[in-house]
Amino acid sequence: MLDDARVSEAVHAAQRAFVSRHLPAFAALTPTARWTGIMAFTPDGLPLVGAAPSSDRLWVCAGWNGHGLALAPRSATLLSEVMLGRRAAADIPAMFGPARVAAAPGAPKPRHA
């Protein structure tokens, strides 16, 4: 199920096994909390950063494929600088351009104009 936000016991068991195998000093500790969440992925595994191809007023900074904590803040800063005219759109890596996903076969049609 793609929208199930419950903690997966199978994943939790695999995490405990990983800790036991690779971090044995921590294996005896009892977790006090667990976190779960939905992870979204783009079709090619790259984020979407830049202007949406179907609108001159819609900008996108999304699709971090589980790596958002490391990469998204800097990308959001860069995108906001482009939006405010402080940097050129060319400063955003072309491989992150949202148009590549919108042009992909089977891509959903945008609901905005």
Side-chain angles (χ1 to χ4, degrees), residues 1-108:
M1 180 181 295
L2 297 175
D3 62 351
D4 187 353
R6 292 175 293 171
V7 173
S8 166
E9 291 304 325
V11 170
H12 188 63
Q15 291 169 334
R16 287 193 311 264
F18 177 90
V19 169
S20 294
R21 192 169 45 255
H22 298 288
L23 304 165
F26 296 100
L29 298 176
T30 302
T32 58
R34 296 188 287 176
W35 175 88
T36 187
I38 303 301
M39 285 181 50
F41 294 88
T42 58
D44 60 6
L46 294 173
L48 306 170
V49 181
S54 60
S55 173
D56 59 357
R57 297 183 49 156
L58 179 64
W59 298 80
V60 179
C61 188
W64 292 99
N65 303 297
H67 303 292
L69 291 176
L71 304 173
R74 178 64 185 127
S75 295
T77 299
L78 176 59
L79 181 59
S80 66
E81 291 171 353
V82 170
M83 292 169 66
L84 294 170
R86 297 178 186 155
R87 299 201 50 169
D91 290 340
I92 299 173
M95 65 184 186
F96 292 171
R100 74 181 196 284
V101 175

